[in-house]
Amino acid sequence: MKSYIPHFLMLKEKSFNQTLEKLSTGPGIIPFAGGTDLMVLFEAGKLAEGTFLDISHLKELAGIYEHKDFLEIRALTTYSEIKNHPIVRREFPLLYEAAKVVGARAIQNRATIGGNIANASPAADGPPALLCYDAIIEIAAAKKNRKVPYCDFHKNYKVMDLKMGELIKAVWLRRSKSFTGVKKEFYHKVGTRKAQAISKVCFAAKVQLSQGQVQEIRLAYGSMAPYPVRAKSTERILQGEKLSSNLIQLAITQLQKDLSPIDDIRSTAKYRMQVACNLLKQFLEGCL
Amino acid sequence: MRLRTEGAQKVTGHARYIDDFSLPDMLYASTIRSPVSRGILIDIIFKEGINWDEFTIVTAKDIPGKNHIAMIENDWPFLVEKNINHYGEAVGLIAHPDKNMLARAHQFIEVKVEALPGIYQIEESLGCKQLLWKDDNIFKSYLIDKGNIDDVWSKADFIIEGEYSTEAQEHMYIETNGMVAVADKQNGVTVWGSLQCPYYVHGALVPLFGLPQEKVRIIQAETGGGFGGKEDFPSLLAGHTALLAWKSGRPVKMIYSRTEDMQNSTKRHPSRSRHVWALSKEGKILAMDIEFILNGGAYYTLSSVVLSRGAIHAAGPYAIDNVRVDAKAVATNHFPFGAFRGFGAPQSIFATERHMDYVAKVIGMDPIELRLKNFIKKGSQTSTGQVISERVDFKDLISSAQKSIGLEKKQKQFERDNQTSHIKRGFGLAAFFHGAGFTGSGEVYLASVAKARATADGKIHILASSVEMGQGKNTIFTGLAAQALGLRDDDIVIKTPDTKYVPDSGPTVASRTSMIVGKLVETACLGIRDTLIAQGYIKKKYQRAEFIRALKKFVSKNGPFECIGQYQQPQNVHWDDQKYQGAAYATYGWAVYMAQVAVNSLTYETTVEDFVAVQEVGKVLHPLLAEGQIEGGVVQAIGYALYEKVIYEQGRMINNQMTNYIIPTSADVPNIKVIFKEWNKKYGPGGAKGIGELPMDGPAPAILNAISDAIGVDINHIPLMPEDLFLKMESTNGN
Amino acid sequence: METNQVNISLNVNGKKIQITTYGMKRLLDVLREDIGLTGTKEGCGEGECGACSIFMDGQLVNSCLIPVFQAEGKKIETIENLEGKTELHKIQKSFLQHGGAQCGICTPGMILATKELLAKKSGKLTAKEIEEGLGGNLCRCTGYLKIFESVKQAEGK
């Protein structure tokens, strides 16, 4: 334990409103949910000394709610709960696949989707799936709630559209309308090993085709940029086009403009880019 | 089947490891470390803001005796006096009754140093970029010179070269290093700890404190994995903990955190090998010219012995008339490299078995056929001139491996599938051997002893310094004793390795515990039996109940008595230390391992899908335990080959977290079929040969040979990360 | 009581426990040091190895990642709670009979992970489910195969 424990304080407020009030009193109060990220920093001596506000008991932040057009996954939902939910499995298979590969079971039992988003690791497993589903983040604050498209939420490495006093309240996923045509979804995490791994490259993709023509496409990546991203310019050159080997080749070239992988302790930029291209190729060729 | 002796405690959480211990008034301890890999210590500054009076602080000047860890060369100091030779080197120690205060204290300590340029690579050391050891940076060198190698080159049809390298490997025992010590001038020093060799620690603490032998007592706590990482290293930690106990007059506990342990303890020696082989066109290997170099790190530790084992195994299980092995261990500013299961052999055998496949490719011969033309058999001489006098049938071992993995059928299928699938599959094999027991005259010098003691309650106590660390020593010794005496398991009590009570049976290393010490345990027990027979208490044939009655009667009449087993060098096993020739080991395990790999050509990841481990081991004493050793060693070696990379920056390990140093999980392991052959039963109890290290030697070359089979790419370095495979495939394909 | 200390009450292995300590102290350390239950082990301190696995309100969690503050009012079960009064739990027996434990340091966590794995599935687990299900519990000694066998055999009983 590298942190000096007596200099850390944990508190909780009884109610959700009191929690939001407390958070708005100053930047030094950090919300604490499942702890699977913060406690690792704590042990390593990398967590700044201060006050932590336990939010894990707040029922306003808990549960998965089925609405007619949306699935509402509240922030404290753990990845185990996400993995085990029948609607997630049926209608949001990318998120189901992601939930299965988050850490391992003991982590999934504690790791929350809200914490995963707020921790903003570029290597997070859930976010690429959320990007493919055009997730909307509902943000709560003492004064006002608001909603942000998840693809606009991250601005830079660990810089996000979340102000002091604000708390991620829920993730909203739009449930698909019925569609005549072919829908394909693909999730692949290349980790350092097959379980309990941080990703080197994470790829989530969703495409809707009608007679070989791309009606809608989402390509999302983890560990390939300072935050989870969609390969938007690559999506644009595929949008509305008929898939062909030539088009796939163009897409792969374009992909390299959308992504900015780095060398780090786990992998190299060159490897990451090559694998990202290979996975895209595999996905698109599977749609031919 | 005999259940694990201490198994019930382990599955219930009642087994007591060192961090489960506490003593009244105990202090918690931590190490102050150098922030540079090489330099001069100027000062340790204890800043304002902490009440330092509450702390016990120890530096080199507090050492009552000698400031070096007694090992082969006494060059590794317990605490830095002036010269810093590796990152994190201990410059001071602190202890406090409140564990929380240690983290606080480090925030207020600054270590002032004058940095000096360090060297980290073998090449830098050989080039004497900086001089760290004597006048050439060479800790030790050996030369094996068999036959007339220089006469061979002109006669050869093929001369084929290759260069191979391996990196460091971290033991990653799931229990980190830890010690608890009490000490005072009057009573001496007692240390409990997670350790493999109580008498190594004893031997190190005696000169540290300048105490007589009987005033230093080392007691092994339940140990959560060792693999060699708790062979030489614990002496340093035990000394540190005891020094704090000595100065404070209170019990002291020092437990390393995982990140601290990874960055600041010994690892497997990195290596570089160069092979030049001469062959006839029929495939007979006429000569092997081998250069084998180990990166020793900052201090000598056991590098000469690792080098020795690596050099002796370098020519592989092949009968080659002309062999030269030029072996060196060199100094760098890394944390000293030390013992790790295999101890030099995984490094040298990796090169040999990779080169064999490469050579086969070059001369256009099947790699198995090439090996079959050159294997050792009964009557062959090894590279050190040892005549092998036991049955060695590699053809049988290979055939078993091929059959078991389903080679014939799968190979056809893979040849087809590889053409269209992005997953490319292949097979690879490694043939190897591993000498059991200490190298050369080692066992003679150790002169190990085990004792059996008859007690008043009719029990037999087994006293030996061998430790249980998961390999099953308690169970094996119980079995050997019970079997020797015709008793039940619960008639036998394996006593805790405590230097106050147990004799020095040598360290728990070198695949020697069953074969060498087990034999001594057996001998000692038979001594008890023979005493009772000789004194007329029982007849030659007896029932268990009679034996116990007789034992109780004898003891009540004469008091408890002991018999010992002391190591006897087998006849016809002679080693010449000067010439470096002769019988390097009494016997060897012979093995053929085969791997089936799948290489994902989209992600460049290699998965071992199936694995067969075939070995001749004399006698399997306990099938479940023996299989457990092989399976565990194979998985550890899969890690060595494909997952485990120590990333250094100026001699400092920077991926010192379990998150970033990758060992295999349950989702990463193949099915492993273990096949034992029992041909040669000359040595060891019942003929059992040592097997603990054997499984570490074969998997890495087998896997890389399989990758070559799968995708036609030759990799000569481990660990092979997907990033490296990608670059290699790219350059091979000319992309 | 110092400023950052709190009173926590929790149920550990069926017993109500009250302690006063720092809210951020790890549940792992509270179990081992304050309550004296040393069966739960520390292997890494960062939720990678699973040696610190316990059940909290019936769920398998890494106790090194839980501040004791959050354990307030929760039901904690450790390895010490598994064995029966007169005999071992079937999982413990199976690990003994099939070589699932070698050095034993990963064993408490591994056995609790097995308990959750067996509880979650009605019907037999596939080999893949066992392999993936134990992915959060690292073992360095066994190579896992005899752990799989121990799990399979425990299932049967």
Side-chain angles (χ1 to χ4, degrees):
Chain A
M1 170 56 70
K2 288 215 170 106
S3 292
Y4 181 52
I5 298 174
H7 278 186
F8 290 78
L9 174 65
M10 181 166 273
L11 310 164
K12 75 177 174 203
E13 295 291 332
K14 266 215 183 79
S15 79
F16 186 50
N17 287 335
Q18 286 168 318
T19 298
L20 291 173
E21 286 298 333
K22 188 83 185 180
L23 282 174
S24 66
T25 60
I29 309 211
I30 314 291
F32 192 109
T36 55
D37 285 316
L38 294 176
M39 291 299 279
V40 177
L41 295 172
F42 182 50
E43 167 68 21
K46 297 196 171 120
L47 196 63
E49 292 177 353
T51 302
F52 294 85
L53 192 61
D54 182 13
I55 59 172
S56 63
H57 55 293
L58 299 170
K59 43 180 178 26
E60 288 83 353
L61 297 176
I64 299 181
Y65 295 90
E66 192 184 336
H67 303 280
K68 182 161 151 284
D69 295 322
F70 285 90
L71 190 67
E72 178 194 355
I73 304 176
R74 295 204 184 160
L76 287 178
T77 308
T78 65
Y79 275 103
S80 281
E81 289 165 340
I82 290 171
K83 186 176 83 174
N84 292 329
H85 199 277
I87 295 183
V88 170
R89 186 155 187 183
R90 204 169 50 235
E91 298 181 28
F92 302 100
L94 296 176
L95 187 57
Y96 166 73
E97 291 299 326
K100 279 202 301 182
V101 297
V102 167
R105 275 183 309 125
I107 298 288
Q108 292 165 14
N109 286 341
R110 290 282 293 167
T112 66
I113 193 166
N116 201 209
I117 292 169
N119 186 56
S121 164
D125 300 321
L130 299 179
L131 286 170
C132 284
Y133 294 130
D134 297 335
I136 294 168
I137 309 299
E138 182 186 353
I139 296 170
K143 290 221 166 70
K144 203 172 83 143
N145 283 13
R146 61 191 178 95
K147 284 188 166 149
V148 173
Y150 182 57
C151 64
D152 297 332
F153 181 76
H154 296 289
K155 307 294 185 191
N156 208 330
Y157 177 69
K158 303 244 175 185
V159 176
M160 63 207 92
D161 185 1
L162 194 66
K163 302 180 191 38
M164 189 203 84
E166 289 187 324
L167 207 54
I168 294 173
K169 182 162 185 285
V171 176
W172 292 78
L173 303 178
R174 181 180 283 281
R175 302 173 77 171
S176 295
K177 303 180 186 58
S178 64
F179 168 73
T180 55
V182 174
K183 182 162 90 163
K184 280 196 190 291
E185 300 189 46
F186 182 81
Y187 183 93
H188 192 117
K189 168 183 174 179
V190 177
T192 49
R193 57 189 172 195
K194 290 205 168 70
Q196 190 77 293
I198 298 186
S199 83
K200 297 181 181 186
V201 179
C202 185
F203 176 47
K206 179 164 87 76
V207 70
Q208 281 171 210
L209 301 151
S210 188
Q211 294 175 328
Q213 197 188 47
V214 175
Q215 302 302 309
E216 190 185 78
I217 183 154
R218 297 284 180 270
L219 303 169
Y221 290 87
S223 300
M224 295 298 291
Y227 47 88
V229 287
R230 267 174 54 194
K232 284 190 169 159
S233 75
T234 310
E235 290 171 358
R236 274 197 296 274
I237 65 165
L238 292 165
Q239 178 68 42
E241 300 293 333
K242 203 162 163 105
L243 276 182
S244 68
S245 303
N246 278 346
L247 185 63
I248 291 173
Q249 203 43 57
L250 285 172
I252 289 167
T253 309
Q254 189 64 27
L255 185 67
Q256 293 169 64
K257 301 197 175 81
D258 281 327
L259 302 176
S260 52
I262 59 171
D263 290 341
D264 66 14
I265 209 164
R266 272 177 292 279
S267 190
T268 63
K270 248 188 131 183
Y271 168 83
R272 287 171 149 137
M273 187 57 91
Q274 183 66 50
V275 173
C277 292
N278 292 347
L279 292 176
L280 179 62
K281 186 158 185 259
Q282 183 187 32
F283 170 64
L284 293 175
E285 283 178 352
C287 299
L288 280 173
Chain B
M1 183 204 71
R2 173 165 291 115
L3 291 184
R4 178 173 283 273
T5 305
E6 76 292 344
Q9 288 97 290
K10 284 174 172 172
V11 299
T12 54
H14 294 310
R16 307 255 291 162
Y17 302 81
I18 192 63
D19 196 21
D20 303 330
F21 270 113
S22 267
L23 290 170
D25 280 338
M26 193 168 75
L27 303 177
Y28 296 88
S30 183
T31 308
I32 304 170
R33 299 184 181 279
S34 159
V36 296
S37 296
R38 184 163 177 244
I40 310 284
L41 177 65
I42 309 289
D43 199 6
I44 308 172
I45 299 170
F46 295 89
K47 297 184 187 156
E48 299 263 311
I50 292 261
N51 185 356
W52 293 109
D53 292 336
E54 292 176 4
F55 286 80
T56 306
I57 299 173
V58 163
T59 60
K61 44 183 169 46
D62 294 303
I63 290 176
K66 301 243 187 316
N67 184 15
H68 63 248
I69 308 173
M71 251 188 260
I72 301 172
E73 293 278 334
N74 297 328
D75 61 322
W76 191 352
F78 279 95
L79 292 167
V80 170
E81 283 170 37
K82 186 176 136 207
N83 298 313
I84 294 162
N85 290 301
H86 66 80
Y87 184 84
E89 193 163 1
V91 302
L93 307 164
I94 56 172
H96 194 283
D98 178 358
K99 193 159 59 150
N100 287 329
M101 285 307 295
L102 296 174
R104 188 83 178 128
H106 280 295
Q107 293 167 358
F108 288 81
I109 297 174
E110 186 191 329
V111 179
K112 273 194 99 142
V113 299
E114 180 199 317
L116 291 171
I119 56 171
Y120 309 102
Q121 308 295 333
I122 286 173
E123 289 69 30
E124 291 176 302
S125 182
L126 287 173
C128 293
K129 204 164 161 203
Q130 299 288 329
L131 266 187
L132 304 180
W133 179 266
K134 305 217 166 121
D135 60 358
D136 59 6
N137 284 338
I138 298 176
F139 282 132
K140 185 75 185 181
S141 58
Y142 289 111
L143 181 68
I144 293 175
D145 200 355
K146 178 189 180 195
N148 293 299
I149 198 165
D150 292 314
D151 294 344
V152 176
W153 307 116
S154 52
K155 304 190 187 96
D157 293 311
F158 297 100
I159 298 176
I160 301 164
E161 293 184 28
E163 191 169 314
Y164 306 88
S165 47
T166 67
E167 292 184 37
Q169 186 183 17
E170 157 59 35
H171 306 85
M172 203 66 98
Y173 24 67
I174 304 293
E175 182 214 17
T176 57
N177 278 284
M179 299 283 164
V180 170
V182 296
D184 63 67
K185 285 189 189 62
Q186 191 162 0
N187 299 304
V189 171
T190 302
V191 181
W192 295 262
S194 188
L195 48 90
Q196 293 173 228
C197 314
Y199 274 97
Y200 276 6
V201 180
H202 184 270
L205 263 48
V206 162
L208 173 64
F209 289 95
L211 287 168
Q213 308 261 351
E214 59 283 2
K215 289 256 170 166
V216 173
R217 181 178 175 191
I218 311 297
I219 305 167
Q220 184 230 356
E222 194 74 73
T223 298
F227 314 111
K230 294 175 183 170
E231 171 177 340
D232 41 332
F233 180 74
S235 297
L236 178 72
L237 185 53
H240 286 174
T241 314
L243 283 169
L244 285 164
W246 184 267
K247 186 157 184 190
S248 64
R250 288 168 67 162
V252 174
K253 177 190 266 195
M254 174 128 59
I255 309 288
Y256 277 8
S257 71
R258 176 62 59 186
T259 52
E260 178 174 28
D261 194 305
M262 289 177 78
Q263 198 171 67
N264 299 291
S265 69
T266 55
K267 296 194 189 353
R268 187 185 295 285
H269 290 71
S271 78
R272 191 188 80 191
S273 298
R274 288 194 175 122
H275 281 244
V276 185
W277 294 6
L279 292 97
S280 71
K281 58 183 181 305
E282 292 81 24
K284 182 97 192 77
I285 303 171
L286 305 171
M288 283 187 181
D289 196 356
I290 303 170
E291 184 191 60
F292 179 64
I293 308 185
L294 295 177
N295 188 334
Y299 296 110
Y300 194 101
T301 67
L302 303 174
S303 292
S304 58
V305 196
V306 178
L307 186 69
S308 176
R309 188 177 269 277
I312 288 169
H313 287 77
Y318 303 104
I320 316 294
D321 292 334
N322 305 284
V323 178
R324 180 161 56 211
V325 182
D326 178 2
K328 292 183 178 64
V330 301
T332 62
N333 293 111
H334 272 289
F335 194 101
F337 294 105
F340 194 152
R341 193 177 196 175
F343 209 74
Q347 292 96 318
S348 67
I349 288 170
F350 171 70
T352 313
E353 283 303 287
R354 275 295 298 131
H355 198 59
M356 183 67 76
D357 263 35
Y358 175 65
V359 167
K361 202 188 246 184
V362 169
I363 71 174
M365 188 178 277
D366 176 270
I368 289 175
E369 202 194 323
L370 177 59
R371 286 178 171 85
L372 286 169
K373 287 188 197 278
N374 291 283
F375 275 128
I376 279 175
K377 32 188 199 287
K378 189 171 188 173
S380 302
Q381 265 191 33
T382 67
S383 60
T384 60
Q386 176 174 8
V387 176
I388 298 299
S389 56
E390 59 182 46
R391 174 183 168 201
V392 182
D393 185 351
F394 271 95
K395 191 153 176 231
D396 181 277
L397 298 177
I398 289 175
S399 160
S400 289
Q402 289 173 319
K403 245 187 236 124
S404 176
I405 211 169
L407 184 70
E408 208 180 310
K409 186 166 161 220
K410 282 184 187 174
Q411 228 166 17
K412 290 195 185 80
Q413 188 191 335
F414 294 170
E415 256 156 56
R416 271 196 318 267
D417 296 344
N418 283 356
Q419 300 191 32
T420 49
S421 170
H422 68 276
I423 307 279
K424 314 287 183 193
R425 293 186 162 83
F427 291 95
L429 173 153
F432 58 102
F433 63 153
H434 199 94
F438 258 52
T439 307
S441 325
E443 290 297 340
V444 175
Y445 289 130
L446 283 176
S448 299
V449 172
K451 281 187 194 169
R453 175 185 292 142
T455 63
D457 57 355
K459 302 270 184 219
I460 301 288
H461 288 194
I462 304 298
L463 297 102
S465 62
S466 309
V467 312
E468 173 65 56
M469 49 182 177
Q471 85 284 50
K473 158 238 141 181
N474 287 341
T475 316
I476 295 292
F477 283 7
T478 300
L480 290 173
Q483 242 161 5
L485 297 173
L487 296 176
R488 282 199 317 235
D489 284 8
D490 53 3
D491 299 320
I492 313 293
V493 179
I494 309 292
K495 300 300 283 178
T496 300
D498 174 343
T499 57
K500 183 170 177 184
Y501 300 111
V502 306
D504 189 353
S505 324
T508 316
V509 306
S511 309
R512 64 189 295 276
T513 300
S514 292
M515 183 173 122
I516 306 278
V517 188
K519 188 102 180 113
L520 304 181
V521 168
E522 194 182 66
T523 304
C525 289
L526 294 175
I528 303 265
R529 177 198 70 184
D530 293 345
T531 304
L532 293 178
I533 292 172
Q535 307 247 348
Y537 283 75
I538 48 170
K539 297 218 174 8
K540 277 211 172 91
K541 270 190 159 44
Y542 56 84
Q543 300 291 332
R544 171 184 167 262
E546 294 173 282
F547 186 93
I548 296 180
R549 263 200 309 273
L551 202 68
K552 285 181 177 170
K553 203 165 157 198
F554 188 105
V555 172
S556 76
K557 195 162 175 235
N558 304 296
F561 76 105
E562 291 177 354
C563 287
I564 69 163
Q566 173 140 45
Y567 180 74
Q568 306 289 334
Q569 180 79 340
Q571 288 193 329
N572 309 319
V573 179
H574 300 298
W575 174 256
D576 186 330
D577 265 324
Q578 299 308 323
K579 295 208 191 96
Y580 211 68
Q581 276 172 17
Y585 305 91
T587 186
Y588 300 80
W590 310 99
V592 166
Y593 283 14
M594 195 153 199
Q596 174 191 319
V597 303
V599 180
N600 184 326
S601 59
L602 298 182
T603 64
Y604 312 98
E605 293 165 295
T606 301
T607 306
V608 181
E609 291 187 318
D610 205 356
F611 200 94
V612 178
V614 186
Q615 49 261 301
E616 194 281 320
V617 298
K619 169 116 184 93
V620 179
L621 294 176
H622 190 298
L624 196 70
L625 290 179
E627 276 168 18
Q629 284 301 285
I630 304 300
E631 290 162 5
V634 168
V635 172
Q636 209 170 27
I638 290 175
Y640 184 44
L642 297 175
Y643 296 94
E644 298 179 37
K645 190 177 180 89
V646 182
I647 300 174
Y648 289 108
E649 221 170 61
Q650 308 268 313
R652 176 174 68 103
M653 180 184 186
I654 60 170
N655 63 330
N656 58 320
Q657 282 174 270
M658 271 211 191
T659 309
N660 290 326
Y661 178 89
I662 304 303
I663 69 170
T665 68
S666 58
D668 298 300
V669 300
N671 188 40
I672 302 169
K673 180 97 178 81
V674 178
I675 297 172
F676 289 117
K677 311 263 180 177
E678 298 175 308
W679 299 331
N680 305 298
K681 297 184 165 65
K682 201 163 168 200
Y683 303 107
K689 299 180 181 181
I691 61 166
E693 294 171 284
L694 184 70
M696 204 77 215
D697 297 342
I703 289 166
L704 288 239
N705 286 342
I707 292 171
S708 179
D709 184 49
I711 58 173
V713 168
D714 282 309
I715 312 280
N716 297 337
H717 178 91
I718 49 173
L720 173 64
M721 311 305 282
E723 288 76 6
D724 306 318
L725 186 61
F726 157 61
L727 287 177
K728 185 75 195 209
M729 283 172 76
E730 214 191 18
S731 67
T732 305
N733 297 336
N735 280 344
Chain C
M1 176 164 87
E2 294 176 41
T3 41
N4 287 353
Q5 293 200 341
V6 289
N7 292 320
I8 307 278
S9 57
L10 55 165
N11 183 308
V12 181
N13 296 337
K15 248 174 76 176
K16 189 145 185 249
I17 308 270
Q18 309 249 48
I19 51 163
T20 301
T21 187
Y22 296 101
M24 286 290 277
K25 185 167 182 178
R26 303 179 309 174
L27 179 57
L28 171 64
D29 298 317
V30 169
L31 290 169
R32 289 178 54 79
E33 294 166 11
D34 297 84
I35 303 173
L37 291 168
T38 57
T40 307
K41 309 296 180 192
E42 175 163 5
C44 71
E46 54 175 26
E48 280 289 310
C49 73
C52 68
S53 301
I54 55 158
F55 289 114
M56 189 162 81
D57 282 355
Q59 290 206 312
L60 188 78
V61 294
N62 294 320
S63 61
C64 73
L65 296 183
I66 298 176
V68 70
F69 187 94
Q70 289 188 322
E72 165 69 42
K74 301 259 184 1
K75 180 171 171 231
I76 308 292
E77 295 164 81
T78 68
I79 184 70
E80 286 91 343
N81 200 45
L82 195 64
E83 60 195 283
K85 280 209 180 2
T86 51
E87 62 177 329
L88 296 175
H89 189 276
K90 67 175 185 182
I91 298 175
Q92 291 169 318
K93 283 190 205 163
S94 193
F95 268 69
L96 267 181
Q97 272 150 10
H98 299 101
Q102 286 190 23
C103 83
I105 197 82
C106 77
T107 303
M110 193 70 74
I111 286 179
L112 293 186
T114 299
K115 182 164 188 250
E116 195 195 60
L117 197 58
L118 294 179
K120 276 191 166 349
K121 181 95 187 262
S122 54
K124 289 231 181 291
L125 290 161
T126 63
K128 193 155 189 268
E129 283 171 331
I130 297 175
E131 288 162 25
E132 289 175 358
L134 295 179
N137 293 79
L138 300 181
C139 174
R140 196 53 157 164
C141 295
T142 64
Y144 303 103
L145 299 189
K146 296 209 181 311
I147 292 175
F148 299 154
E149 185 64 20
S150 303
V151 174
K152 253 187 273 179
Q153 297 296 332
E155 215 180 9
K157 296 172 177 65

